[in-house]
């Protein structure tokens, strides 16, 4: 165990990552390491459609496998229907041991995220906050692995620094076109800015945009292009 600046003991590592105890503001300079902020590019042949017929097909096309990391944003708050649908599809495909790394966890009850932890679909959680049923379950000892929580500013920093690598980002949008340009500002279920997921859209190995309002190309104004 290590001791931080307020005398609290912390483990020396979490999920295989060595931890540095907090020693006070400005006492630990940032590591001299490359910033992993370059946007990943994939080939799309002109005329080729990016549209897929189902979540299961999108998950298969993303290359998601056991042990990888998935992310979501929480701009829809407790009205979010995407996380439950995606996790259900992943579970039905038999994929397990995922790191669940959303921008934050709100109280989603149908289906419960707790159920996917108990099934083994999720075995690690890294977020900017956990509320509701999942938060209570974590406090009661649901997780075998420690949960990592970061402020909203620290999450993008961790992704850029390569500390949190996103394999597949599932981004809900109130409007999107067939090329993946997306916004949260138009459509029947607007959620406002998609800012929480900007870092995911830029840094994830694969990005899946999910919408209930497909618009003609180009989707404007596009929050994510």
């Amino acid at each position: 165990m290590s001791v931080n600046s307020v005398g609290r003991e912390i483990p020396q590592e979490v999920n295989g990552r060595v931890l540095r105890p907090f020693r006070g503001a400005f006492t630990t300079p940032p590591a001299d390491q490359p910033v992993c902020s370059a946007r990943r590019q994939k080939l799309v042949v002109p005329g080729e459609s990016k549209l897929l017929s189902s979540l299961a097909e999108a998950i298969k096309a993303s290359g998601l496998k056991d042990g990888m990391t998935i992310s979501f944003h929480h701009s829809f708050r407790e009205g979010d229907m995407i996380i439950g649908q995606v996790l259900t599809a992943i579970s039905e495909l038999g994929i397990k041991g995922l790191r669940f790394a959303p921008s934050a966890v709100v109280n989603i009850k149908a289906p419960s995220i707790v159920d996917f932890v108990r099934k083994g679909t999720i075995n690690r959680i890294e977020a900017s906050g956990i509320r509701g049923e999942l938060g209570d379950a974590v406090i009661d000892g649901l997780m075998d692995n420690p949960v990592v929580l970061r402020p909203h500013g620290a999450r993008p920093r961790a992704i850029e620094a390569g500390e949190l690598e996103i394999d597949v980002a599932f981004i809900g949008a109130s409007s999107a076109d067939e090329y993946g340009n997306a916004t949260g500002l138009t459509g029947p279920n607007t959620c406002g800015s998609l800012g929480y997921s900007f870092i995911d859209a830029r840094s994830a190995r694969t990005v899946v945009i999910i919408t209930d309002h497909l618009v003609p190309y180009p989707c404007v104004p596009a929050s994510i292009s």
Side-chain angles (χ1 to χ4, degrees):
M1 301 292 284
S2 301
V3 179
N4 65 14
S5 62
V6 295
R8 199 171 279 162
E9 289 188 340
I10 67 167
Q12 291 184 330
E13 66 175 49
V14 170
N15 299 336
R17 185 169 66 239
V18 177
L19 301 182
R20 294 177 306 197
F22 181 70
R23 302 298 189 191
F26 311 114
T27 59
T28 304
D32 184 14
Q33 59 185 4
V35 174
C36 304
S37 60
R39 187 165 189 166
R40 299 176 186 271
Q41 300 290 331
K42 292 188 177 181
L43 174 66
V44 179
V45 178
E48 179 183 357
S49 176
K50 289 185 175 183
L51 292 177
L52 296 171
S53 62
S54 67
L55 280 175
E57 187 178 347
I59 292 164
K60 292 176 184 177
S62 75
L64 185 66
K65 295 180 176 59
D66 292 0
M68 286 187 172
T69 299
I70 58 174
S71 72
F72 302 84
H73 68 74
H74 68 288
S75 295
F76 287 105
R77 309 292 172 169
E78 294 191 13
D80 188 288
M81 298 181 67
I82 287 171
I83 294 176
Q85 291 182 43
V86 171
L87 290 177
T88 297
I90 289 172
S91 177
E92 290 174 350
L93 289 170
I95 299 171
K96 295 181 177 295
L98 299 177
R99 176 165 57 173
F100 180 59
S103 56
V105 180
V106 296
N107 195 24
I108 300 171
K109 298 180 180 178
S112 169
I113 298 172
V114 173
D115 294 338
F116 296 104
V117 176
R118 290 179 174 146
K119 290 177 183 177
T121 308
I122 296 168
N123 69 358
R124 294 160 292 158
I125 297 175
E126 297 193 24
S128 298
I130 302 177
R131 302 174 181 84
E133 182 183 8
L134 180 61
D136 292 339
V138 167
I139 291 172
D140 291 338
L142 173 69
M143 304 297 298
D144 293 329
N145 297 308
V147 171
V148 177
L149 298 180
R150 298 181 178 92
H152 283 316
R155 180 180 183 270
R157 183 212 60 79
I159 294 173
E160 286 194 333
E163 295 173 13
L164 175 60
E165 295 189 38
I166 309 297
D167 291 298
V168 185
F170 296 93
I171 299 177
S174 59
S175 292
D177 62 34
E178 63 180 23
Y179 222 67
N181 299 295
T183 183
L185 300 179
T186 62
N189 292 299
T190 56
C191 63
S193 171
L194 296 178
Y196 287 123
S197 58
F198 284 176
I199 184 66
D200 304 68
R202 189 175 74 221
S203 304
R205 289 184 172 86
T206 301
V207 177
V208 178
I209 300 289
I210 303 167
T211 188
D212 61 353
H213 187 62
L214 197 65
V215 298
Y217 174 88
C219 173
V220 290
S223 297
I224 294 172
S225 58

